Amino acid sequence: MTEHTKTDGLPEVEPIPQVLEKARPRNERMAADKIECNACPVLCQIGEGRVGACDRYANSGGTLVRVDPVVMLRRTVEDAGAKLVRFAGRPALPAGLAEAAGADGDASGLDPAGAEAGVADWDGDLLRANEVFVTGIGSSTTYPDYKPAPFIVASQADGVDMVTVVTEGIFSYCSLKVKIDTDRYLGPEQANVRCRGEVVGHVTTAEYGSQMLSLGGVHHLTGGSKKEGRVTVEMMQALGNRQPVELTIDGGAQLLVQAGRPPVVNGVEEQRMRVGCGSATIGIFAKQFYGRVDEVVVVDDHITGVLTEHQAGRCLDMRPSGLRIRGRKSTPGRYFQVANPGTGWGGTDIADPLSIVEGWDPKLAWPGQRVLMVSTTGEHAAWYELDEALAPREAEMPEAVRRIVERIGENCEPSLTSVLFLGGAGGSLRAGVTENPVLLTRSIKQSLVNVTCGGAPAYVWPGGGITVMVDVMRMPENAFGTVPTPAIVAPIEFTMRADDFAALGGHVEEVRTLGQALRSGAWHDEGAPVARRWLAADPANPWPIGHAPMLG
Ligand code: SF4
């Protein structure tokens, strides 16, 4: 006989897991005044008033708090306005941590009136809401990965309901691509790049006028020794936060690099990025040289150009000079491998430009021939005249020629170091947005979701996953942190229409209005930031809301 229960005829009730904001301690013997941080897999046990291993979380009277304020961007920030404001109903930072968080002097972390001032500095006006953007910097994370992102903020852009999902991503799979504008030889392709003796990356392909490095990456973060991982993550954090880092390249140069600053190669600060290769320089300035000089050699580690033999000289119907250059002839007037790469003339290892000259063909050359030798940046230049024996004699450069050399220099852009952060936003990050993470990826690829990092536009690579690349100079300062796993912590925001957010299965129950987010912060209590900081948005960046992603 069948047994009947009270639920007969009713749909089966799915079990609802009990989700604790903080897990039960792993160790029952953990001191009573300690709490376990569950914001990353390290699970630090943090004593009252102390911070965890990454300095990002603290124990404030038994509550886990995010030490740094969450950074909010405004299109304009009035100097007189409150820059740092405590969220209502949040604990104060432990004494001593306030200064680290950026508060001025007050041990409580913030002016107690701050919360009031904070509400007053934004009155909920939707037009002004159009000017506010919550970034992932200081927002806290979604570890252990099923949690909705700490801020899911509803706002409006031009009358359209938008949602921005904001989190701090923990990136193990990430690297920096460093572009160093220089003619100097930095080292062979594939050579190891070291920081404090540890291998932290490698030299990759050279691009025009620049040498590229690939630094960091999962191989160095987790694939080597503990020290290698620690040095790699520290190097990445420093470069991402626009601080200087010393690097050495095996078999190559010593570097001092800093985002947005000229690179320093072997102790010498770079000034100019080449105008082009030797061949291009010949072509660009050929008409200006015409009539003022009989032959020009542009010395370059890539292609050394010889004017009268080059197509540019032939088009100008210049008389062949008879000059013979060492190196492998590529095409008329264009020579490869005239010297070894180095830090001398035109990125070669030569100090005397005549060392690449084999001589002059006596059948073609003539006494008194005027020859200019110059590098691709115009930093090196010499003027010669052939004597009766067709030997070059250095002489004073005519003023008109000097002006062209100066123009070569003037056309060189200033040398810079550019640091681009490249990270793969894995499934756990996407789970902060939706229970069905692949839908976020698809929505991004359909241009429905804009991806930004600290409000800066992130380029989304083609292919699978969400692999993003962002220029650290477009992000607010100190946007990067670390955890000792080791991994980089970086801000990431996904902005979309509210109905697209619902359609991709977004965590709609965690959506807060911008006003709520400004007043009381994140939706959760454990590990939430206690204050917000206003920064002015970089006017060079497109406003993240209501903007399509930069897709590859
Ligand atoms: S390293 Fe930082 S985020 Fe990770 S558990 Fe410790 S305090 Fe928390």
Side-chain angles (χ1 to χ4, degrees), residues 436-483:
N436 195 0
V438 72
L439 294 182
L440 176 66
T441 315
R442 289 183 194 152
S443 300
I444 291 171
K445 303 288 159 114
Q446 289 163 14
S447 286
L448 299 175
V449 180
N450 189 18
V451 187
T452 49
C453 292
Y459 169 87
V460 184
W461 280 59
I466 307 171
T467 305
V468 295
M469 190 164 73
V470 59
D471 177 359
V472 304
M473 289 302 291
R474 285 176 168 259
M475 301 171 72
E477 283 178 40
N478 291 320
F480 292 91
T482 65
V483 286

Short mmCIF file of all heavy atoms in Angstrom, two decimals, residues 436-483:
data_model
loop_
_atom_site.label_atom_id
_atom_site.label_comp_id
_atom_site.label_asym_id
_atom_site.label_seq_id
_atom_site.Cartn_x
_atom_site.Cartn_y
_atom_site.Cartn_z
N ASN A 436 24.28 32.23 -14.48
CA ASN A 436 24.62 31.50 -15.70
C ASN A 436 25.72 32.28 -16.42
O ASN A 436 25.47 33.00 -17.39
CB ASN A 436 23.36 31.37 -16.58
CG ASN A 436 23.53 30.33 -17.66
OD1 ASN A 436 24.59 29.70 -17.76
ND2 ASN A 436 22.52 30.15 -18.47
N PRO A 437 26.98 32.15 -15.93
CA PRO A 437 28.04 33.07 -16.33
C PRO A 437 28.26 33.20 -17.83
O PRO A 437 28.64 34.27 -18.31
CB PRO A 437 29.28 32.50 -15.65
CG PRO A 437 28.75 31.73 -14.48
CD PRO A 437 27.44 31.16 -14.92
N VAL A 438 28.01 32.15 -18.59
CA VAL A 438 28.30 32.24 -20.03
C VAL A 438 27.43 33.30 -20.71
O VAL A 438 27.82 33.88 -21.72
CB VAL A 438 28.13 30.86 -20.70
CG1 VAL A 438 26.66 30.45 -20.80
CG2 VAL A 438 28.78 30.84 -22.08
N LEU A 439 26.28 33.59 -20.10
CA LEU A 439 25.40 34.60 -20.71
C LEU A 439 26.03 35.99 -20.64
O LEU A 439 25.79 36.83 -21.50
CB LEU A 439 24.03 34.59 -20.03
CG LEU A 439 23.20 33.32 -20.22
CD1 LEU A 439 21.85 33.46 -19.54
CD2 LEU A 439 23.02 33.00 -21.70
N LEU A 440 26.83 36.22 -19.61
CA LEU A 440 27.53 37.51 -19.54
C LEU A 440 28.53 37.62 -20.69
O LEU A 440 28.59 38.63 -21.38
CB LEU A 440 28.25 37.67 -18.19
CG LEU A 440 29.08 38.95 -18.09
CD1 LEU A 440 28.19 40.19 -18.12
CD2 LEU A 440 29.94 38.96 -16.84
N THR A 441 29.30 36.55 -20.89
CA THR A 441 30.27 36.55 -21.99
C THR A 441 29.56 36.84 -23.31
O THR A 441 29.99 37.68 -24.10
CB THR A 441 30.96 35.17 -22.09
OG1 THR A 441 31.31 34.75 -20.78
CG2 THR A 441 32.19 35.23 -22.97
N ARG A 442 28.46 36.12 -23.54
CA ARG A 442 27.75 36.30 -24.81
C ARG A 442 27.23 37.74 -24.94
O ARG A 442 27.29 38.34 -26.02
CB ARG A 442 26.59 35.31 -24.91
CG ARG A 442 27.09 33.89 -25.11
CD ARG A 442 25.95 32.92 -25.28
NE ARG A 442 26.44 31.56 -25.13
CZ ARG A 442 25.70 30.54 -24.70
NH1 ARG A 442 24.44 30.73 -24.37
NH2 ARG A 442 26.21 29.34 -24.60
N SER A 443 26.72 38.27 -23.85
CA SER A 443 26.17 39.63 -23.92
C SER A 443 27.26 40.66 -24.22
O SER A 443 27.03 41.64 -24.93
CB SER A 443 25.48 40.01 -22.61
OG SER A 443 24.43 39.12 -22.36
N ILE A 444 28.44 40.41 -23.66
CA ILE A 444 29.56 41.33 -23.96
C ILE A 444 29.89 41.26 -25.44
O ILE A 444 30.03 42.28 -26.12
CB ILE A 444 30.80 40.99 -23.11
CG1 ILE A 444 30.53 41.31 -21.65
CG2 ILE A 444 32.04 41.73 -23.60
CD1 ILE A 444 31.59 40.82 -20.69
N LYS A 445 29.98 40.03 -25.96
CA LYS A 445 30.35 39.86 -27.37
C LYS A 445 29.28 40.43 -28.30
O LYS A 445 29.54 40.72 -29.46
CB LYS A 445 30.63 38.39 -27.69
CG LYS A 445 31.71 37.75 -26.82
CD LYS A 445 33.12 38.25 -27.15
CE LYS A 445 34.08 38.04 -26.01
NZ LYS A 445 35.16 37.12 -26.19
N GLN A 446 28.05 40.53 -27.77
CA GLN A 446 26.98 41.14 -28.58
C GLN A 446 26.92 42.66 -28.37
O GLN A 446 25.93 43.31 -28.73
CB GLN A 446 25.62 40.54 -28.20
CG GLN A 446 25.44 39.11 -28.67
CD GLN A 446 24.30 38.40 -27.94
OE1 GLN A 446 23.48 39.05 -27.28
NE2 GLN A 446 24.26 37.10 -28.04
N SER A 447 27.93 43.21 -27.73
CA SER A 447 28.02 44.66 -27.48
C SER A 447 26.91 45.18 -26.58
O SER A 447 26.56 46.35 -26.63
CB SER A 447 27.96 45.44 -28.80
OG SER A 447 29.16 45.32 -29.46
N LEU A 448 26.35 44.31 -25.74
CA LEU A 448 25.30 44.77 -24.84
C LEU A 448 25.85 45.22 -23.49
O LEU A 448 25.17 45.90 -22.73
CB LEU A 448 24.28 43.63 -24.59
CG LEU A 448 23.55 43.12 -25.84
CD1 LEU A 448 22.67 41.93 -25.49
CD2 LEU A 448 22.71 44.24 -26.45
N VAL A 449 27.07 44.80 -23.18
CA VAL A 449 27.63 45.08 -21.86
C VAL A 449 28.98 45.77 -22.04
O VAL A 449 29.87 45.24 -22.72
CB VAL A 449 27.84 43.76 -21.07
CG1 VAL A 449 28.44 44.06 -19.70
CG2 VAL A 449 26.55 43.00 -20.94
N ASN A 450 29.12 46.93 -21.46
CA ASN A 450 30.41 47.61 -21.49
C ASN A 450 31.28 47.12 -20.34
O ASN A 450 30.78 46.92 -19.23
CB ASN A 450 30.21 49.13 -21.39
CG ASN A 450 31.50 49.89 -21.65
OD1 ASN A 450 32.45 49.34 -22.22
ND2 ASN A 450 31.54 51.14 -21.25
N VAL A 451 32.55 46.90 -20.62
CA VAL A 451 33.47 46.44 -19.58
C VAL A 451 34.48 47.56 -19.32
O VAL A 451 35.10 48.07 -20.26
CB VAL A 451 34.24 45.17 -20.01
CG1 VAL A 451 35.05 44.63 -18.83
CG2 VAL A 451 33.28 44.11 -20.52
N THR A 452 34.61 47.92 -18.06
CA THR A 452 35.59 48.94 -17.70
C THR A 452 36.40 48.45 -16.50
O THR A 452 35.96 47.56 -15.77
CB THR A 452 34.89 50.27 -17.33
OG1 THR A 452 33.83 49.99 -16.40
CG2 THR A 452 34.32 50.97 -18.54
N CYS A 453 37.56 49.02 -16.32
CA CYS A 453 38.41 48.70 -15.18
C CYS A 453 38.69 50.01 -14.45
O CYS A 453 39.43 50.85 -14.97
CB CYS A 453 39.71 48.04 -15.61
SG CYS A 453 39.50 46.40 -16.31
N GLY A 454 38.07 50.19 -13.30
CA GLY A 454 38.22 51.46 -12.60
C GLY A 454 37.66 52.61 -13.44
O GLY A 454 38.16 53.73 -13.37
N GLY A 455 36.65 52.32 -14.26
CA GLY A 455 36.05 53.35 -15.09
C GLY A 455 36.78 53.58 -16.40
O GLY A 455 36.30 54.33 -17.26
N ALA A 456 37.95 52.94 -16.56
CA ALA A 456 38.72 53.12 -17.80
C ALA A 456 38.24 52.12 -18.85
O ALA A 456 37.91 50.99 -18.51
CB ALA A 456 40.21 52.90 -17.53
N PRO A 457 38.20 52.54 -20.10
CA PRO A 457 37.70 51.62 -21.13
C PRO A 457 38.63 50.42 -21.27
O PRO A 457 39.84 50.56 -21.37
CB PRO A 457 37.73 52.48 -22.40
CG PRO A 457 38.67 53.60 -22.12
CD PRO A 457 38.64 53.83 -20.64
N ALA A 458 38.02 49.22 -21.26
CA ALA A 458 38.81 48.00 -21.39
C ALA A 458 38.54 47.40 -22.77
O ALA A 458 37.39 47.30 -23.18
CB ALA A 458 38.43 47.00 -20.31
N TYR A 459 39.60 47.06 -23.43
CA TYR A 459 39.46 46.42 -24.75
C TYR A 459 39.21 44.92 -24.51
O TYR A 459 39.96 44.29 -23.75
CB TYR A 459 40.77 46.64 -25.53
CG TYR A 459 40.89 45.83 -26.79
CD1 TYR A 459 40.37 46.31 -27.99
CD2 TYR A 459 41.53 44.59 -26.81
CE1 TYR A 459 40.50 45.58 -29.16
CE2 TYR A 459 41.66 43.86 -27.96
CZ TYR A 459 41.14 44.35 -29.14
OH TYR A 459 41.25 43.62 -30.29
N VAL A 460 38.15 44.39 -25.10
CA VAL A 460 37.82 42.97 -24.91
C VAL A 460 38.36 42.18 -26.10
O VAL A 460 37.98 42.44 -27.25
CB VAL A 460 36.30 42.77 -24.78
CG1 VAL A 460 35.98 41.30 -24.49
CG2 VAL A 460 35.72 43.66 -23.69
N TRP A 461 39.23 41.23 -25.80
CA TRP A 461 39.85 40.44 -26.88
C TRP A 461 38.82 39.54 -27.55
O TRP A 461 37.87 39.08 -26.91
CB TRP A 461 40.97 39.57 -26.30
CG TRP A 461 42.24 40.32 -26.07
CD1 TRP A 461 42.40 41.41 -25.28
CD2 TRP A 461 43.52 40.04 -26.64
NE1 TRP A 461 43.70 41.83 -25.32
CE2 TRP A 461 44.41 41.01 -26.14
CE3 TRP A 461 43.99 39.07 -27.51
CZ2 TRP A 461 45.75 41.03 -26.50
CZ3 TRP A 461 45.34 39.09 -27.86
CH2 TRP A 461 46.21 40.06 -27.36
N PRO A 462 39.08 39.27 -28.84
CA PRO A 462 38.19 38.33 -29.53
C PRO A 462 38.35 36.90 -28.97
O PRO A 462 39.27 36.64 -28.21
CB PRO A 462 38.65 38.38 -30.99
CG PRO A 462 39.89 39.17 -31.03
CD PRO A 462 40.15 39.77 -29.69
N GLY A 463 37.46 36.03 -29.38
CA GLY A 463 37.55 34.63 -28.95
C GLY A 463 36.78 34.39 -27.67
O GLY A 463 36.00 35.23 -27.22
N GLY A 464 37.04 33.24 -27.06
CA GLY A 464 36.28 32.83 -25.88
C GLY A 464 36.66 33.62 -24.64
O GLY A 464 37.70 34.26 -24.58
N GLY A 465 35.77 33.58 -23.65
CA GLY A 465 36.07 34.21 -22.37
C GLY A 465 36.01 35.72 -22.42
O GLY A 465 35.67 36.33 -23.43
N ILE A 466 36.33 36.31 -21.26
CA ILE A 466 36.36 37.78 -21.18
C ILE A 466 37.80 38.15 -20.85
O ILE A 466 38.20 38.20 -19.69
CB ILE A 466 35.39 38.29 -20.09
CG1 ILE A 466 33.99 37.73 -20.30
CG2 ILE A 466 35.36 39.81 -20.09
CD1 ILE A 466 33.03 38.02 -19.16
N THR A 467 38.57 38.36 -21.90
CA THR A 467 39.97 38.73 -21.72
C THR A 467 40.07 40.22 -22.03
O THR A 467 39.76 40.64 -23.14
CB THR A 467 40.88 37.91 -22.66
OG1 THR A 467 40.61 36.54 -22.42
CG2 THR A 467 42.34 38.21 -22.42
N VAL A 468 40.44 40.98 -21.02
CA VAL A 468 40.40 42.44 -21.17
C VAL A 468 41.80 43.03 -21.06
O VAL A 468 42.68 42.46 -20.43
CB VAL A 468 39.48 43.10 -20.11
CG1 VAL A 468 38.05 42.68 -20.30
CG2 VAL A 468 39.96 42.79 -18.70
N MET A 469 41.96 44.17 -21.69
CA MET A 469 43.25 44.86 -21.66
C MET A 469 42.98 46.34 -21.43
O MET A 469 42.08 46.91 -22.06
CB MET A 469 43.97 44.65 -22.99
CG MET A 469 45.39 45.12 -22.98
SD MET A 469 46.31 44.43 -24.37
CE MET A 469 45.62 45.38 -25.69
N VAL A 470 43.74 46.93 -20.54
CA VAL A 470 43.46 48.32 -20.18
C VAL A 470 44.78 49.04 -19.90
O VAL A 470 45.72 48.45 -19.35
CB VAL A 470 42.48 48.38 -18.98
CG1 VAL A 470 43.05 47.67 -17.77
CG2 VAL A 470 42.10 49.80 -18.62
N ASP A 471 44.82 50.30 -20.31
CA ASP A 471 45.99 51.15 -20.07
C ASP A 471 45.93 51.65 -18.63
O ASP A 471 44.96 52.32 -18.24
CB ASP A 471 45.92 52.32 -21.07
CG ASP A 471 47.05 53.32 -20.87
OD1 ASP A 471 47.88 53.13 -19.97
OD2 ASP A 471 47.08 54.30 -21.64
N VAL A 472 46.95 51.34 -17.85
CA VAL A 472 46.89 51.72 -16.43
C VAL A 472 46.86 53.24 -16.25
O VAL A 472 46.39 53.73 -15.22
CB VAL A 472 48.03 51.09 -15.59
CG1 VAL A 472 48.04 49.59 -15.72
CG2 VAL A 472 49.38 51.69 -15.95
N MET A 473 47.34 53.98 -17.24
CA MET A 473 47.33 55.44 -17.13
C MET A 473 45.92 56.02 -17.22
O MET A 473 45.69 57.16 -16.87
CB MET A 473 48.21 56.07 -18.22
CG MET A 473 49.69 55.85 -18.02
SD MET A 473 50.31 56.48 -16.47
CE MET A 473 50.15 58.24 -16.72
N ARG A 474 44.99 55.23 -17.74
CA ARG A 474 43.61 55.69 -17.83
C ARG A 474 42.82 55.33 -16.58
O ARG A 474 41.66 55.73 -16.42
CB ARG A 474 42.94 55.07 -19.05
CG ARG A 474 43.38 55.71 -20.35
CD ARG A 474 42.77 55.00 -21.52
NE ARG A 474 42.94 55.76 -22.74
CZ ARG A 474 41.99 56.51 -23.29
NH1 ARG A 474 40.80 56.60 -22.74
NH2 ARG A 474 42.23 57.18 -24.39
N MET A 475 43.40 54.52 -15.72
CA MET A 475 42.71 54.10 -14.49
C MET A 475 43.09 55.08 -13.38
O MET A 475 44.13 55.72 -13.44
CB MET A 475 43.15 52.68 -14.10
CG MET A 475 42.86 51.64 -15.17
SD MET A 475 43.59 50.04 -14.81
CE MET A 475 42.57 49.45 -13.48
N PRO A 476 42.27 55.16 -12.33
CA PRO A 476 42.68 55.98 -11.20
C PRO A 476 43.97 55.41 -10.58
O PRO A 476 44.28 54.23 -10.75
CB PRO A 476 41.51 55.82 -10.22
CG PRO A 476 40.35 55.44 -11.07
CD PRO A 476 40.91 54.62 -12.17
N GLU A 477 44.69 56.28 -9.88
CA GLU A 477 45.94 55.82 -9.26
C GLU A 477 45.66 54.76 -8.21
O GLU A 477 44.58 54.73 -7.61
CB GLU A 477 46.66 57.01 -8.62
CG GLU A 477 47.36 57.87 -9.65
CD GLU A 477 48.04 59.06 -9.04
OE1 GLU A 477 48.62 58.91 -7.96
OE2 GLU A 477 47.95 60.14 -9.66
N ASN A 478 46.64 53.93 -7.97
CA ASN A 478 46.56 52.87 -6.95
C ASN A 478 45.32 52.00 -7.11
O ASN A 478 44.63 51.70 -6.14
CB ASN A 478 46.59 53.47 -5.54
CG ASN A 478 47.96 54.05 -5.24
OD1 ASN A 478 48.97 53.46 -5.61
ND2 ASN A 478 47.98 55.21 -4.62
N ALA A 479 45.05 51.59 -8.33
CA ALA A 479 43.88 50.78 -8.60
C ALA A 479 44.14 49.29 -8.35
O ALA A 479 43.20 48.50 -8.29
CB ALA A 479 43.43 50.99 -10.05
N PHE A 480 45.42 48.91 -8.21
CA PHE A 480 45.75 47.49 -8.12
C PHE A 480 46.15 47.10 -6.70
O PHE A 480 46.83 47.85 -6.01
CB PHE A 480 46.90 47.14 -9.07
CG PHE A 480 46.51 47.24 -10.52
CD1 PHE A 480 46.68 48.43 -11.22
CD2 PHE A 480 45.95 46.16 -11.19
CE1 PHE A 480 46.32 48.54 -12.55
CE2 PHE A 480 45.58 46.26 -12.52
CZ PHE A 480 45.76 47.45 -13.20
N GLY A 481 45.74 45.93 -6.30
CA GLY A 481 46.17 45.34 -5.05
C GLY A 481 46.65 43.92 -5.32
O GLY A 481 46.72 43.47 -6.47
N THR A 482 46.98 43.23 -4.24
CA THR A 482 47.41 41.84 -4.40
C THR A 482 46.84 40.99 -3.28
O THR A 482 46.42 41.51 -2.25
CB THR A 482 48.95 41.70 -4.33
OG1 THR A 482 49.37 42.06 -3.01
CG2 THR A 482 49.65 42.56 -5.35
N VAL A 483 46.82 39.69 -3.49
CA VAL A 483 46.61 38.73 -2.41
C VAL A 483 47.76 37.73 -2.49
O VAL A 483 48.33 37.53 -3.57
CB VAL A 483 45.25 38.01 -2.48
CG1 VAL A 483 44.12 38.94 -2.09
CG2 VAL A 483 45.00 37.41 -3.84
#
